[in-house]
Amino acid sequence: MSDALVVPVYNEAATVGAVLSAVCEVFQGTVIVVDDGSTDDTPRILRNAEGIVAMRHEVNRGYGRSLIDGFETALAMGAQRIVTMDCDGQHEPARIPDLLRALEDADVVSGSRYLPESASIGAAPQDRVRVNAAVTRAINEVTGWGITDAFCGFKAYRRSALERMHLSEDGYAMPMELWAEAWKARLSVREVAVDRIYCDADRSFGADLDDPDKRLAYYLSVWENALRRGAA
């Protein structure tokens, strides 16, 4: 079975080399790195990296667009299972095999940092915990899935699942669109425990989205619009 790993990066020179080295120890498939217009040393590091497929946006286009472009490349290369992970040191590559194994009985497998068996390293910023809880609750109210972590970017997908979803959201709310598309396509969803690692408490979401209330409103608007799209 052909596997691909999609890794969006933006100005992550401090971590990208170590993360990719760790990935190579546990993952045997194709590694697709999407550089979303980095202005630091990330492009040079990726040029010198071996065994990866490197893509680059000449300007910053957004987290969602990086994932969407990575998905399209993985599918064009024939991947049957696709994993996504961030490159900021907050996703443990050793968990990749767990996600892939869980695809045996699910269309979409999502890492959860809030299951009882999830290890915790560092304190989660309370505004992110609050926003994540609110959007997770909104998703569960519609779907009944009972998921615990709507915004973990550490996921795995069957090819057939991605082919049934229509994704277009460029920004950070793309996961909300993805959940809506998965629900409308009647895909099966499963969570597996991943480590809760926080090492970027000062992370900026850009523009007005550093305001937690505005960020939550944006996420919920994308969710609601995606649910309505294509409805009879």
Side-chain angles (χ1 to χ4, degrees):
M1 181 176 289
S2 175
D3 297 331
L5 176 70
V6 174
V7 185
V9 300
Y10 178 63
N11 287 347
E12 291 174 285
T15 56
V16 63
V19 169
L20 292 178
S21 294
V23 163
C24 290
E25 295 180 5
V26 298
F27 182 71
Q28 303 303 314
T30 301
V31 179
I32 301 168
V33 182
V34 185
D35 176 11
D36 193 26
S38 294
T39 56
D40 66 354
D41 211 25
T42 298
R44 182 193 63 79
I45 294 170
L46 294 179
R47 283 194 299 270
N48 293 329
E50 297 182 358
I52 68 168
V53 176
M55 304 172 56
R56 177 169 169 80
H57 297 154
E58 290 306 316
V59 297
N60 184 261
R61 298 191 60 192
Y63 177 76
R65 177 49 49 186
S66 296
L67 286 173
I68 292 168
D69 288 351
F71 288 152
E72 291 177 352
T73 298
L75 293 175
M77 296 178 70
Q80 299 300 310
R81 303 187 300 184
I82 296 93
V83 178
T84 60
M85 66 174 288
D86 295 342
C87 201
D88 55 5
Q90 297 189 163
H91 291 165
E92 172 52 64
R95 301 298 182 195
I96 294 173
D98 297 338
L99 295 171
L100 290 172
R101 279 192 295 271
L103 277 180
E104 294 176 6
D105 56 8
D107 296 309
V108 179
V109 175
S110 188
S112 172
R113 298 160 292 182
Y114 297 101
L115 289 171
E117 58 269 38
S118 300
S120 179
I121 303 171
Q126 287 307 299
D127 65 303
R128 294 195 222 170
V129 173
R130 178 173 65 83
V131 170
N132 193 353
V135 297
T136 299
R137 184 166 56 250
I139 290 168
N140 286 331
E141 287 173 353
V142 172
T143 66
W145 285 332
I147 62 174
T148 60
D149 189 355
F151 258 100
C152 183
F154 209 176
K155 289 183 170 65
Y157 309 84
R158 293 180 182 177
R159 177 187 184 91
S160 57
L162 287 175
E163 289 176 333
R164 293 171 64 186
M165 291 190 280
H166 307 283
L167 303 172
S168 60
E169 173 61 37
D170 286 350
Y172 279 114
M174 190 276 270
M176 302 301 292
E177 179 184 52
L178 188 147
W179 287 130
E181 287 291 310
W183 169 244
K184 292 189 294 182
R186 299 183 180 181
L187 301 178
S188 58
V189 172
R190 176 181 173 186
E191 284 189 320
V192 298
V194 297
D195 305 317
R196 186 164 72 248
I197 304 171
Y198 277 98
C199 52
D200 67 341
D202 296 327
R203 172 185 177 185
S204 173
F205 293 86
D208 290 339
L209 297 185
D210 284 337
D211 181 317
D213 293 329
K214 292 180 179 179
R215 192 162 70 247
L216 175 59
Y218 159 55
Y219 292 161
L220 292 177
S221 70
V222 169
W223 164 248
E224 292 163 2
N225 289 337
L227 285 176
R228 287 194 295 266
R229 188 174 61 211

